[in-house]
Amino acid sequence: MKLATMFQAGLPYLVLTGGLLVVMIGVAIKRTHAVAAVLTIVTLIATTLSHIVAYSALGDGAVQIDSMFKIDGVAYLFNILFLLAALVVAFLGSEFLNRRIRFKEEFYLLLLCATLGSLVLPAAVHFASLILGLEIVGISLYAMIAYPEKARPPLEAGLKYLVLSGVGSTALLFGMAMIYAGSGSMEFANSLPSDGSIEGQYFYLIGNAFFWSGIAFKLSLVPFHIWTPDVYHGAPSTVTAFLATVSKGAVFAVVLRYAIEGNVLDSGNVQFALSVIACVSMVIGNLLALLQTNLKRLLAYSSIAHMGYLLIALLIVESNSALGYETLILYLVGYFLMTLAAFGVVSVLSMNQEQELDSIDSVCGLLWRQPIAGAVLIVSAISLAGIPLTIGFFAKYYLFYAGIDGGMWTLIGALVVGSAIGIYYYLRIVFTAIKRPAEDAEAMTGLPWTGLGILAFLGLCMLVFGIYPTNLINLIQNVVQASGF
Amino acid sequence: MNVLVLILLLLGAGVVAWFSERVSTKLPNWIALITFVATTLWVLVIWFNGPDAAGLYASLRHEWIPRFGIELHLRVDALSLMLIGLTTFLGIIAVVSSWTETKTRHGFFQFNILWVMAGVVGVFSAFDLFLFFFFWEVMLIPMYFLIAIWGHEDKEYASMKFFLFTQISGLLMLVAIVALVWINYNISGTLTFDYFELKNANLDSATARLLMLGFFIAFITKLPSVPVHTWLPDAHTQAPTAGSVILAGILLKTGAYGIIRFVVPMFNEASQEFWIWGMSLGVVSILYGGYLAYSQTDFKRLVAYSSIAHMGFILVGVYSFSKLGTQGAIITMIAHGFSTAALFMMAGALQERLHTREMSKMGGLWVRAPRMGAVTMFFVVASVGMPGLGNFIGEFLVLIGAFQKSVVLTVFAAIGIVVAAVYGLSLMQRSFQGVPNPDVPKMHDFAFREMSVMVLLMIALVWVGIYPQSLLQMTAPLLPGLLD
Amino acid sequence: MGLSFLLFYISAAVAITTAIMAVTRKNASHALIYLVVTLLSIAVIFFLLGAPFAAALEIVIYAGAIVVLFLFVVMMLNLGRSSVARESQWLRPGMWVLPAILSGVLFIVFGYTVLQTENSAMIEGQVVPPKEVGTVLFHEYLLGVELAGVLLLAALVGAFHLGRRYLEERREN
Amino acid sequence: MHLLWAIPALPLAGFLILLLTEGRLPRSVVSSIGAGSVGLAALLTGYVAWQVMSSDSAPFTSSSWTWMIVGEFNVSFRLFVDELSLVMVGVITGVGFLIHWYATGYMSEEEGYSRFFCYMNLFVFAMLMLVMGDNLLLLFLGWEGVGLCSYLLIGFFHKVPEFGYAARKAFVVTRVGDTFLIIALFLLFHQVGSLEIQQGLIFARENMSDASMMNTIICLLLLGGAVGKSAQVPLQTWLPDAMAGPTPVSALIHAATMVTAGVYLIARMQDYFMLSQTAMLCVAAVGLVTLFIASFTALVQSDIKRVLAYSTMSQIGYMFFALGVGAWSAGLFHLMTHAFFKALLFLASGSVILAMHHEQNMFKMGGLWKKLPIPFIAMLVGSAALVALPLTSGFFSKDAILLKAWKSDSEFATLFWVVAVIAAFLTSLYTVRMMVLTFFGKPQSEMHELKKESLWHPNRIRTVVPFGLLAVLSIAGGWMGFEFTSDLFGDKGVHAELHFDLIAFLTLGIPFAGIVVGYFVFASDLIDRRNLIKNKMSELLSKFWGNGWGFDWVYDTFVVKPFRFIAQTRLNRNDVVDLFFNLIKFLANLFHHILSMFQTGHVRWYAFTMLGGLLLVLLAVVWV
Amino acid sequence: MTTALSIPLEHVFFLAIILFLIGAFGVLIRRNIIFMLLSLEIMMNACGLAFVAAGARWAEPDGQIMFMFILALAAAEVAVALGLVVQLARRFETLDIDRAEELNG
């Protein structure tokens, strides 16, 4: 591979890293929030745009950089998705920081670091790049979660995430070590023991058990889900939005590649374990959310369920990897939109408050008190429930299609059950939002227009893609096919 | 003629109505009314223009999501046209009946009504399964809003229950649709959601049975039939008048339509084997619904349970697999749309005047409002199945069709006629007859607005009752396609 | 079979013992000292496994830097004698049971499975010299090193943000 | 050119006019529309009857309006008149007109005057459809329509809850019969492939064999329908309660026309019944049992209208009996004469009741013959016909029935005949009792102050004319209807022969015997009535008879009460099926709470669950 | 060049898993956040050991390189973690992790 091609393909990474450095230097020279914010946003936009330039380098297929990275169209799609999400977070975050935080600039550095980490993952084809990408996101997030100075919940959330994530990471690492010991390679493509000796198999299997446990932690799948609500709850909503979307999406992107290149699912046992995890995640996640009264916790539990749904996309890759990628990307697009919107609403509403307005009662009558935020919240709840006119429906449709394509009837059953439970609490959000507001409900004024604008945009996207997803689907399908899946 | 225009018109009018609220609180009502009148006229025009050579009144076919072979495929044949006509007509009724009922958010109210109707029109005209499902779900959300915002005391529970039941059963249907498409794809190599292609899919009988069940459950939940009927009484009771009218008059019909249009033709063999279950469920619904109707003390709940009983006739008719039964089911759909809509409107009118639906707090209302009494009597009599009115035609055809399939079940279904008399007359007795209740406030009788609507409905019912042939001859050419 | 063989098991035993001591001590400084011993014995094992460079890093960075960082914090927070008393209050034997059982079961499952491996692979202690490590590190894993840099940068920024506030507010007091 | 369609159209028009004007018309206009439309229909009937009689051609049919066609199923609105229908149409329009006329006076002081005639006209229309319908579905339309009108009119005074109950009871009980009828329709369609009556009869004659099980079932189902409408055992319980309606209603619907619809139905479907011995036997038995039971019950009633109601039941029992033993024309003849005299009786009793402040208890009347001479005479004439005194219309028809019964070739002929004769005896017994209690003896209570100007005043012309016409018919109807009805079914042979034998003597004598015994028991002081009643045995018996032989009690205890009891329990009202869904909800909530208990917020516990999860995954991966 | 060691691979992994579990055990029993982090370090070390052992098995440098990455990771994590610990001590005025349980349910 020619060096120039590699540079061109890696351009987004370079731009982002460069931007990161520029922001850091800028901050070092003079602390100005506006400058930092603008620089960050410019960096993110530039990185997004740089994919256009970089895409031509891919030619027909992928660009392999050393043994650690394989950059292809799919990775770019993920990248753009993550970058756009990061952009939303940056916009929301700038308002949030502006109004509630004293020391603002480091946030952008952490955000850019986390974004870089998440961009690493979709292209990773090696355990080293996997763990490094994962940990860059993780380390940045610890600090981002605990970012506010005075309140106790963010700190508690940060600590919990750090300790538990530490345990998760060690499990992941230990698993990798065992897989490596079994197979002799840390590249995904060679990670299956080639000689098929029993010895290798056992190391390999135990390794996978540890590995997937670690991954399940990162994806907050049952039974490794238990930290999720606390961390989502404690973190500032803006950060939660990032945590719930980009960090999950990135992990999915990488494990999907691992599953495809490493043929992990050839092992019936691993497949079985993952199926069980998927099933219980769908059901338990939804059950946990059922009567939850805290909006952020509720969304956290629901994200557990959504991660369970998404495992279908992972499990299908064994028989139909293209469909798996398609499902994953489309679902993530939908999931990103709705999750960002939902947490975005909480974030925007809490802008002027000391404490986050995260109780479900605080959105009572929102549609009438604050029409844009209310409408977006309703649309995102409907979308999360997978009801038509919203992207969530097509996302769920893809899952059904993938599930049926793979003949995973148990999972489809769990998906139906899970969705059924889910409708209940999503509708509760909707119902609360359209209720007649309490008499003494204070008027919500002075909400930032940027925030509301972003929300409106997200809501609109959900609806537009929910009615005419054809272009999006075609794009995804073309890119996935071009990437050789 | 383009049916999409109709749907878009309804959707657009909804949005306009919503925003027109700022101009005047009455403006949304007028916009909705004019829209429904216009669409009804539109339906009448294409009705009189007659079908084209293929028996279609309107059709449209356009690519939507080529990735999965999903198309925007709308067709209006006689059955669809009839039901679309019913929809737009009841739209007028719904708007007029709630003219003074809503006190807040008039614009959003009419928006929801118009959007429900748009969804329903889509359901009745979609010939692409995905599109069908899409509309099927789309009509739920505005309906949910109608109940949840303008409903009565227990609106949260009722709206939630309504949504959960229909949505969960809808999920089963989605699974069945996707599975059907996928299987067809594996056999024929084309990925398509087209009704006609899928109708000819070569399924082995076990698969067909399972898939059929997926559809069937969704449709009987909407219909609704015992044992998945329990959402209906709550939803109807709590919904605002217009909501009840739409729910009973039209939304239930989508379930019946689904069975007639999809379950039976697409899984013909499986359905044929299934007939005993379908008919039995119908019979149980007739008897159990009727019985529970009698037990109720709430005016609306009583009517709601009676709907369950009437819908049971549709199941019986369809699963008799005869022309008579199917025609009977279709007529029942139309006639029940009229009669129940009127009864719910009556319940709404009473609630508006008395602030209660509890019949123990009524009694002797005839003295206060003889017109309302007479009107109620008419529709009770209609729903009891009096010959000469629409409901009788439907039920008679259903029973006579079913008789050839199963004597025993038909006999039980016929007992439902007696039960209907029991609850129908007890409704009449408890509300309008008997000693006038001294606690009842002074109430004004029906005035022009309400009366004119009721007269329209009465004329419609009599028309169906004495000249059902006008409808029967329209649908007759469709029957072979639906039955075999 | 030789000295290194024996050395491995001795080091292993030391590592296990001191690790247990480290997690169960009440005095933080003591625990850290035990941890250092653990790290040293692991370093020995690294050496025996033919990874002298790793062994060196283990001592230099782990024992030398990270543990010292811990010690700083321990001193900064003044975890003295009172904290020892508090620790003994917190460390009730009853609390140990479930974790111990869980760890035990995990070990048994792991051990049983691993022991089923036939024709087990032997580690011959083939030395991979630092040079080779370096070559590979800065060749194939070059991007990994860069990423590790970003990782540390993120940690730096994070620690700076979290720690700075503390310092500033102390100055205010 | 015949104006067949106009006969039902006139009352229908009357109904529509009255409906649409919503009672805003002056009463005089309402009267003329209400009674006039029926009167015109009666005139038209006469015209049509003349046409029919004067032509030898096939029965008349009107042009048709397609009702519905589905595949082979084809019914239309077509009217059909033959002699049988003409008898019915004549009775309906003729007697109906008189009753309407009477009612214009009777109802003059009631609320809802216009509503009353509205319903009455609708009733006449429905009844005409019933008898003129060319197909069974049209018949069924009329059949249900009269039931509805009966319901509406019984509950006409809707403020009284008991009346409402009676109305609903009438509707529901007859509906049970209707269900049999509709099932019969299904069967007929299944067999014949058409619901056209004539086509069905031809089919029966040509294709059905005597022993056909199917035929018997069809007949029994038809009988079930007839039994409901005609208040025969076991569906008779509604009729006495139906007396809650205004008296003209009782006269028209519950005496003259609607209740005889069952008779008409069986007569109309004659060809089916003739083929089935069993069915015929059942018809006869039903009639006889009703006759017997009703007569006894009538004997102990205190309410004058209830006496008449039970009497109606028993007379219709005679008609059924006649049909059952093959005396088709006799049965129809009796139908006609009964319409005359029973209408007369009811109308006369109505006048009495009005005069007595709506008092219907005979024990509170007495000695009225002087004060109310015209009703008295009318009642006397009616009673004479009812007990079948010679030369009254009732005599001819009843005699024909008894004779035919005696001569029938059924193995039970003698038994039938004996029971019928006993019932005839009872008839005169209770008639005498009624007359004695009402018109003779001492006055038991105050009478209404009769105002001359009251429209209903018994001496006014508009009351007297209907009385007079009906009285004439009650006497002379026997002679004029004789020829007319006897050739309906081609069994005129029975009547042609004059007979002077034991049977004739008995038939002639029984009414007199009844009157004599009645006189001694109820009027003279020769027998101490109190002793007769005080007897424990007779007390029980009279209670048993008085309650209609306990049918009401049985239905109430075994059907109505359980139905209501279960319906009114809370569990059921809230829908038992919902329990299942509530269980699901409960379980979901339970699981939610259990799972939420794990979310303690303690990091160490979280880590513990993670390690536990690791163990589980390890087990799953390694050992599954 | 070898160190003349010849032991089964499993034995090293036994050691690694034991250390791993001791670390986990420590995390589970300690309420003091400092000890928790210390236990976490032991777990990290166990992972490092496993990687080095795996690398030694294949006689490749990759294991050691991964160990170095783990070192960086541990260092980064400790840095942030101790920052949090300091904050914990300030805002909750304790090092008892069990006191940080305001977020639950």
Side-chain angles (χ1 to χ4, degrees), chain B residues 1 43-58 76-78 81 474:
Chain B
M1 277 286 195
V43 170
L44 285 178
V45 166
I46 62 170
W47 192 314
F48 286 117
N49 277 350
D52 62 10
L56 293 182
Y57 292 84
V76 181
D77 62 8
L81 183 68
M474 270 176 75

Side-chain angles (χ1 to χ4, degrees), chain A residues 317-383:
Chain A
V317 295
E318 193 209 351
S319 57
N320 191 344
S321 57
L323 183 61
Y325 260 117
E326 234 183 293
T327 310
L328 178 68
I329 296 174
L330 190 104
Y331 198 94
L332 280 183
V333 171
Y335 176 75
F336 272 41
L337 283 172
M338 45 217 194
T339 311
L340 285 174
F343 284 114
V345 168
V346 178
S347 168
V348 168
L349 293 183
S350 314
M351 288 286 177
N352 299 328
Q353 314 286 330
E354 276 298 308
Q355 296 245 304
E356 297 234 325
L357 286 181
D358 45 15
S359 152
I360 198 160
D361 289 331
S362 61
V363 298
C364 181
L366 192 63
L367 185 61
W368 317 114
R369 290 154 72 197
Q370 190 44 259
I372 294 178
V376 173
L377 183 66
I378 289 170
V379 170
S380 79
I382 288 176
S383 185

Side-chain angles (χ1 to χ4, degrees), chain C residues 75-158:
Chain C
M75 289 169 183
M76 193 162 74
L77 297 174
N78 204 9
L79 297 177
R81 201 145 288 160
S82 62
S83 71
V84 173
R86 203 175 53 219
E87 284 296 323
S88 43
Q89 202 186 339
W90 286 351
L91 275 180
R92 297 231 182 74
M95 271 173 22
W96 300 21
V97 179
L98 274 179
I101 291 174
L102 184 61
S103 308
V105 172
L106 253 172
F107 178 70
I108 291 166
V109 172
F110 181 93
Y112 182 79
T113 315
V114 167
L115 280 181
Q116 289 198 327
T117 313
E118 290 166 20
N119 307 323
S120 66
M122 301 299 285
I123 295 181
E124 302 298 348
Q126 177 83 45
V127 174
V128 180
K131 186 178 172 188
E132 197 181 334
V133 175
T135 312
V136 176
L137 181 64
F138 286 104
H139 188 248
E140 284 172 33
Y141 287 94
L142 179 61
L143 286 175
V145 176
E146 305 282 357
L147 285 177
V150 177
L151 179 71
L152 290 169
L153 173 66
L156 178 76
V157 175

Side-chain angles (χ1 to χ4, degrees), chain C:
Chain C
M1 193 68 66
L3 182 64
S4 40
F5 179 82
L6 208 61
L7 209 53
F8 171 79
Y9 289 105
I10 292 169
S11 314
V14 172
I16 292 169
T17 324
T18 52
I20 292 174
M21 298 301 268
V23 300
T24 54
R25 283 314 82 193
K26 285 164 189 141
N27 189 316
S29 320
H30 297 182
L32 283 171
I33 302 299
Y34 278 115
L35 181 61
V36 169
V37 180
T38 312
L39 298 176
L40 290 177
S41 36
I42 291 176
V44 170
I45 292 169
F46 281 176
F47 191 81
L48 291 173
L49 290 175
F53 188 54
L57 286 178
E58 177 87 4
I59 296 168
V60 174
I61 296 180
Y62 242 120
I66 296 177
V67 174
V68 171
L69 194 58
F70 266 100
L71 271 175
F72 274 141
V73 173
V74 166
M75 289 169 183
M76 193 162 74
L77 297 174
N78 204 9
L79 297 177
R81 201 145 288 160
S82 62
S83 71
V84 173
R86 203 175 53 219
E87 284 296 323
S88 43
Q89 202 186 339
W90 286 351
L91 275 180
R92 297 231 182 74
M95 271 173 22
W96 300 21
V97 179
L98 274 179
I101 291 174
L102 184 61
S103 308
V105 172
L106 253 172
F107 178 70
I108 291 166
V109 172
F110 181 93
Y112 182 79
T113 315
V114 167
L115 280 181
Q116 289 198 327
T117 313
E118 290 166 20
N119 307 323
S120 66
M122 301 299 285
I123 295 181
E124 302 298 348
Q126 177 83 45
V127 174
V128 180
K131 186 178 172 188
E132 197 181 334
V133 175
T135 312
V136 176
L137 181 64
F138 286 104
H139 188 248
E140 284 172 33
Y141 287 94
L142 179 61
L143 286 175
V145 176
E146 305 282 357
L147 285 177
V150 177
L151 179 71
L152 290 169
L153 173 66
L156 178 76
V157 175
F160 170 71
H161 174 72
L162 295 169
R164 173 192 58 180
R165 216 163 47 225
Y166 179 68
L167 295 173
E168 285 203 353
E169 286 179 17
R170 266 185 60 177
R171 215 176 295 147
E172 282 164 15
N173 291 341

Side-chain angles (χ1 to χ4, degrees), chain D residues 39 47 71 74 108 134 255 259 282 311 360 404 425 481 494 536 606:
Chain D
Y47 172 67
N74 181 346
S108 59
D134 184 38
V259 284
C282 286
S311 148
Q360 304 191 2
K404 178 77 188 188
F425 173 75
V494 180
K536 194 136 203 165
Y606 288 6

Side-chain angles (χ1 to χ4, degrees), chain D residues 210-223:
Chain D
D210 290 4
S212 162
M213 183 69 186
M214 188 55 70
N215 180 36
T216 307
I217 293 174
I218 290 174
C219 289
L220 290 180
L221 286 169
L222 287 172
L223 176 63

